Amino acid sequence: MVRRRSVLAATIGAGVATGFAAPPVTADAAPSLAAAGAALRRLLGRHADQIELRRLAGRTDRYRVDGRDGRLVVAATSGATALAGVQRYLGTLSAGIWWTADNLALPRRLPAPVGAIEATAVVPHRFAGNDTYEGYTDPNAGFEAWRRDLDVLAAHGFNEVLIGLGTDAVYLDTLRSFGYSAAELLDWIPGPAHQPWWLLQNMSGFGGPMSAGLVHRRAALAARVIDHVRSLGMTPVLPGYFGTVPPDFAARNPAARVVPQGRWCGFDRPGWLDPRGSVFADVAAAFYANQAHRFGPATMYKMDLLHEGGSAGDVPVGEASRAVERALRRARPGATWVILGWQRNPLPATIAAVDRSKMLIVDGLAERSGAVDRERDWSNTPYAFGTIYNYGGKSTLGGAAATWVDKYHRWRGKPNGALAGIALMPEANRTSDANLDLFGALGWRTDRIDLPAYYADYARRRYGAADRHAEAAWAALRGTAYAIPGDSAEPQDGLFGAQPSLTATSGAAWSPSTVQYDPSAFDAALPALLAVAPRLRTGAAYRSDLVDVARQTIDNRGRLLLPQLYQAYTDADLVVFDQLAAAWLALLDLLADLVATRPELLLGPRLATARAAGGDEDEADRLEFDQRSLLTVWGGRTASVDGGLRDYANREWDGLVRDVYRPRWARYLAAVRTAIVTGTPIAGHDWFADADRWARRHDRYRQAPAGDEYRAALRTHRALTGPRQVHVQLSAG
C-alpha cells in the first residue's frame, strides 16, 4: 500500500514552504480597477486615457458612468463591473465589444453621457463557461486569447468563470503519490482538445500521450489565466475532486474501492473511487492541496457526479455526495459546490444529502418546459438560469431568445423562488455575439426586455448608427433564428458537414432534424444587411454578421435541395440529378469562398496554435491530430461510428469546407450517379477512414482571411436569387 498520509503531509508542507500566498477571496477593488484599466487600454487603445476608474463601496455589483467630455469617470465595485459600465457607455455611442468582432468607431474625444449611466446587478451569480468549452473553442489558445475572452465576459457583466485549464497538472501531482509513475499518468491523460471529457469522467487517453513539459506549460498558462480572472475581481470556478481514478487504482491502493463506470459513446470510462472510504478522503485532500499550491484556493468548485450515464453501482448516492462535500469542506470551508443541471443531474439523493445553501446549480436546461420543476425537484437549491445554446462549437446561428426573456422574467419574480443567477454555457465560446449580449443583459435588467426594441438597439450598437435596413435584418433574425422554440433549445446544424447521405437530416447525431424556423422568413435578413448604408459596411461587427447570415442562408438552401436530390435518385432521372448535384457542389464552393473572408472562420490559425504548443515535432503532430480529430471523427472508429460522435463538432470553417466536406460530397454524388446509370445500389464507403486520414495530415491552411466579405456575401445573394441561379427549384414549391 502506498504511504499516502506522509506524502500528503509533504505535499501540503511544500506549498507552505514555497511561501505561496493565495489572493484574498474578497479582494479590495483597487487592484481589480488597475487590471480593468489595463484591459481598457488593450480594448480601446488611446481612448482609455480619457476614462478614470474609481472604486464604489458595497457588496452588490454596480457601476456609475458620468464625467465630462474627454474625461469620463467610471465608478464600480470591481474591475469587471467597471468594464461592464464602459460597455454600457459604448452602447450610447453606437459601439461595443464582443467575442468575435467589435465596433469601435469612436469619436476622438469621448463625449460625456447625457445623465449618469447607472446599473446594479439583479442576481449575484453571473456564471460563464461549459466543461467542454476549452476543447471546442481553442484548446491550445495562448494567454492573449484567454485574456481577450475574459475581458469580453467581464464587459458583458459576468463575474464567475469556469476554468478547467491546468487540471491535468493537478491530477499528475496528486496521483503520483498513489502508486503511479509520471509516464503512466501522462499516457492516461488525453490531449488538450479532449481533456474536458476526461475531467467529466467520460473517457481517457485519446489524443495523447501528454508530455511532462506540455503539462507544465499548460499549468503555467492556467496560473496566469486564473490570476487574470482574480485581478478583475471575478471568481474563478475550478474543478473539484469527485473520484476519478486511473486503471488498477484499487490494486495499487488495497483499501480503495473503485466502481466501474462502463462506457461513454464507445470510450471506456475511468473508474469512480467510492467517496465513502478513507482513500478518497486522502486523494481529495491531496488534490485540493496541489491545486491550491499551483493556482491558489477558490471559493467555487465545479463537480458533476455520475455524468451522462455514470453508474453508482451499490454505492448510495446520498452518502457518496455527502462524502464528496465533506472532502471539499475540509479543504475549503465555506466553498460553493457548483453542479450542472443536465439530464438526471443533480440526482435527488445528492440534493437531499448536501448543504443546499452552499450549492449552485447551473441550469443547462432552462429553455425546456418539462425538464424539471426548479424549486420543487431541486428543493429550493440556489440555481442560475442557464443556456447551452450551441453544442460542439457548430457554426449554426440562433437561440431561444423569446423563451429566455419570458422564463427568466417570470422565474425571477416567483415568491420564495430559488433563482440566484444566470449561466451562459455554450459548448464553445466565440459562437454568438448576439446571445452573449442578450444573456449578459439579463443579469442587470430589472424590467422585462422588449425584444423588438432590444434587437433594433443591438443592430445600432453593432454597426455604428441606427439604420432601417439593419433593423429590418434583425427583425427577420429575431423572428426566425433567434426564436428557436424552448423545447428544441438548439438550432439545426448544416447538412454540408454531415456524413453524405441523400436522407441526411443533421450533421451531428443529436442535432435537430428539421429547420427550427421558417427559412423563407429568414431569407429577408441577407438582402436587408446588404442594403445597410455604405458608411456602416466597413466595421468588423457588421462584416462578421453579414458573412454569418450569408453562410446560414446557404445552409438553409441546402436543406431544400437535398430532398430534391433524393427524389431525382428515386426517379432515376439522370438529367435532373446532374443539375442538382452540380448545384449542391456550387453551394459548397460559395460557402468555401464566403468563410475564407473572416478570421474567426479560419481553421489554419487553430492548427498553427496547436503545433506551436508542442515541445518538439512529434508533440506538434500529436496536438494537431488532437485538434483535427475533435472537429471530424472526434475519437477512434468505435466512438466515432458506433458511439455517434462523428461530426459532432462540425463547423463551416475555411479548410473544413473545401478539404473535408466538399470532397466527400463530390465522391458520394459520383457514387449515386453511378448507381442511377447502372441500376445498382449506391456503393458503400468507409467515411471514417477518409476523415481519420485527414485528421492525421499536416498540410497547412491559410492564416489570414482572403477576399472581401461584402463582395462574397453579395455574390452569394445573387447566386441564390438572380437569373442565373446555382439551384434548381429551391423554393418550397
Side-chain angles (χ1 to χ4, degrees):
M1 180 181 295
V2 177
R3 297 177 61 190
R4 291 181 299 275
R5 294 193 180 278
S6 60
V7 173
L8 174 58
T11 301
I12 297 174
V16 174
T18 60
F20 179 84
V25 172
T26 54
D28 182 86
S32 68
L33 291 182
L40 288 177
R41 285 188 288 277
R42 290 190 297 272
L43 296 167
L44 304 182
R46 291 185 177 180
H47 283 97
D49 296 337
Q50 302 177 45
I51 302 174
E52 178 187 350
L53 302 181
R54 294 180 182 172
R55 178 180 179 179
L56 266 181
R59 298 182 63 85
T60 301
D61 284 335
R62 60 193 179 102
Y63 59 76
R64 176 187 173 91
V65 184
D66 55 14
R68 64 182 190 275
D69 290 356
R71 179 53 60 188
L72 301 180
V73 176
V74 180
T77 49
S78 73
T81 306
L83 293 180
V86 172
Q87 170 75 351
R88 174 85 176 279
Y89 165 76
L90 292 175
T92 68
L93 305 182
S94 299
I97 61 172
W98 293 273
W99 266 335
T100 61
D102 298 337
N103 168 31
L104 291 173
L106 301 172
R108 188 173 61 85
R109 187 176 175 84
L110 296 178
V114 180
I117 300 170
E118 296 183 90
T120 300
V122 296
V123 286
H125 299 287
R126 301 177 307 283
F127 175 95
N130 189 302
D131 298 89
T132 68
Y133 80 100
E134 182 191 342
Y136 284 137
T137 303
D138 189 353
N140 300 285
F143 179 65
E144 288 73 19
W146 271 99
R147 185 173 61 186
R148 158 78 191 188
D149 283 356
L150 293 167
D151 290 347
V152 172
L153 284 172
H156 285 271
F158 293 91
N159 66 339
E160 297 163 353
V161 187
L162 178 63
I163 306 291
L165 178 69
T167 309
D168 47 358
V170 178
Y171 271 97
L172 183 63
D173 293 343
T174 299
L175 292 170
R176 289 190 66 183
S177 301
F178 291 84
Y180 292 88
S181 68
E184 289 174 313
L185 294 170
L186 292 168
D187 193 55
W188 177 61
I189 300 170
H194 289 82
Q195 281 192 21
W197 295 272
W198 165 67
L199 294 176
L200 286 167
Q201 206 176 47
N202 294 153
M203 47 88 75
S204 64
F206 190 85
M210 295 286 285
S211 72
L214 180 57
V215 171
H216 175 76
R217 292 191 296 274
R218 283 170 53 81
L221 172 61
R224 294 184 70 192
V225 168
I226 293 167
D227 224 24
H228 185 63
V229 174
R230 290 192 179 107
S231 76
L232 287 172
M234 304 166 80
T235 299
V237 182
L238 304 184
Y241 185 73
F242 57 93
T244 301
V245 290
D248 304 323
F249 187 87
R252 304 180 193 210
N253 298 270
R257 184 170 181 271
V258 176
V259 180
Q261 292 299 290
R263 292 170 74 79
W264 175 85
C265 295
F267 284 103
D268 290 326
R269 302 177 66 138
W272 183 43
L273 177 60
D274 186 342
R276 299 172 299 169
S278 61
V279 180
F280 176 92
D282 289 347
V283 176
F287 179 95
Y288 289 118
N290 286 313
Q291 187 183 59
H293 177 60
R294 285 188 176 272
F295 310 129
T299 57
M300 302 181 76
Y301 292 85
K302 170 76 165 52
M303 296 181 281
D304 299 337
L305 300 187
L306 310 174
H307 179 78
E308 291 193 352
S311 171
D314 61 357
V315 176
V317 171
E319 292 181 29
S321 302
R322 195 175 295 113
V324 169
E325 182 186 39
R326 184 164 55 246
L328 173 62
R329 298 277 173 261
R330 284 174 177 166
R332 301 288 170 263
T336 297
W337 177 351
V338 180
I339 190 168
L340 178 64
W342 176 250
Q343 295 183 352
R344 297 182 304 135
N345 282 349
L347 295 167
T350 295
I351 293 294
V354 302
D355 179 355
R356 293 188 293 277
S357 71
K358 295 291 193 299
M359 176 173 273
L360 176 69
I361 302 171
V362 286
D363 187 356
L365 298 168
E367 300 103 334
R368 307 188 190 198
S369 59
V372 65
D373 182 300
R374 274 73 186 165
E375 279 72 26
R376 183 194 65 210
D377 296 342
W378 291 344
S379 301
N380 278 82
T381 305
Y383 73 95
F385 182 95
T387 181
I388 307 175
Y389 65 79
N390 180 287
Y391 292 80
K394 300 180 187 70
S395 302
T396 188
L397 184 154
T403 300
W404 297 336
V405 168
D406 176 62
K407 283 191 171 181
Y408 176 76
H409 184 74
R410 287 191 289 110
W411 292 3
R412 199 172 68 82
K414 285 182 182 179
N416 302 314
L419 192 152
I422 57 171
L424 184 76
M425 299 184 289
E427 288 195 338
N429 287 349
R430 311 176 202 162
T431 47
S432 174
D433 286 348
N435 288 342
L436 166 70
D437 195 272
L438 176 61
F439 225 80
L442 290 177
W444 292 82
R445 295 278 292 264
T446 56
D447 59 325
R448 180 188 176 112
I449 293 175
D450 179 317
L451 284 176
Y454 184 88
Y455 281 114
D457 182 69
Y458 178 72
R460 176 187 61 80
R461 292 182 284 121
R462 287 286 279 182
Y463 309 148
D467 181 278
R468 64 186 179 89
H469 297 295
E471 290 183 17
W474 277 95
L477 295 172
R478 171 178 55 81
T480 55
Y482 290 95
I484 301 297
D487 284 340
S488 298
E490 177 187 6
Q492 74 284 346
D493 61 359
L495 298 183
F496 297 114
Q499 183 171 294
S501 167
L502 293 178
T503 57
T505 58
S506 65
W510 295 284
S511 293
S513 60
T514 59
V515 181
Q516 300 297 290
Y517 49 82
D518 178 1
S520 63
F522 182 93
D523 284 347
L526 180 56
L529 278 180
L530 287 165
V532 163
R535 67 187 179 88
L536 304 180
R537 295 177 189 168
T538 59
Y542 168 77
R543 292 192 164 235
S544 177
D545 290 351
L546 180 65
V547 169
D548 205 21
V549 169
R551 180 204 55 73
Q552 189 64 53
T553 303
I554 294 174
D555 262 8
N556 292 349
R557 293 301 176 89
R559 283 186 171 270
L560 292 173
L561 180 55
L562 192 60
Q564 295 178 42
L565 274 161
Y566 178 67
Q567 188 62 52
Y569 164 71
T570 58
D571 293 343
D573 190 331
L574 192 61
V575 173
V576 173
F577 179 83
D578 283 345
Q579 291 176 323
L580 294 170
W584 182 266
L585 295 178
L587 287 178
L588 272 161
D589 290 336
L590 271 177
L591 185 61
D593 290 344
L594 186 69
V595 299
T597 65
R598 288 299 306 164
E600 66 269 17
L601 302 179
L602 302 182
L603 174 64
R606 272 80 169 187
L607 298 185
T609 300
R611 296 197 64 83
D616 56 33
E617 195 70 12
D618 287 344
E619 187 164 69
D621 287 350
R622 289 198 303 274
L623 290 173
E624 183 175 2
F625 168 74
D626 183 41
Q627 171 78 98
R628 286 183 180 232
S629 61
L630 188 74
L631 302 179
T632 51
V633 292
W634 210 103
R637 183 180 292 273
T638 299
S640 182
V641 179
D642 300 334
L645 289 173
R646 60 170 173 75
D647 297 308
Y648 180 86
N650 74 84
R651 54 194 71 185
E652 287 152 2
W653 281 0
D654 174 71
L656 287 171
V657 174
R658 200 179 299 278
D659 241 19
V660 177
Y661 303 152
R662 192 192 190 283
R664 69 182 181 185
W665 274 107
R667 179 176 188 135
Y668 176 73
L669 293 174
V672 176
R673 190 182 196 281
T674 298
I676 294 173
V677 170
T678 61
T680 59
I682 302 170
H685 185 71
D686 189 346
W687 300 112
F688 170 83
D690 283 357
D692 189 61
R693 277 193 296 272
W694 177 85
R696 296 176 190 279
R697 282 163 38 181
H698 303 297
D699 42 340
R700 301 293 181 260
Y701 292 96
R702 63 169 51 94
Q703 300 294 306
D708 178 81
E709 299 101 320
Y710 189 86
R711 291 175 183 172
L714 182 61
R715 186 164 59 249
T716 296
H717 178 59
R718 288 173 174 170
L720 296 177
T721 61
R724 299 181 64 184
Q725 301 174 36
V726 299
H727 61 288
V728 178
Q729 296 179 344
L730 285 189
S731 67

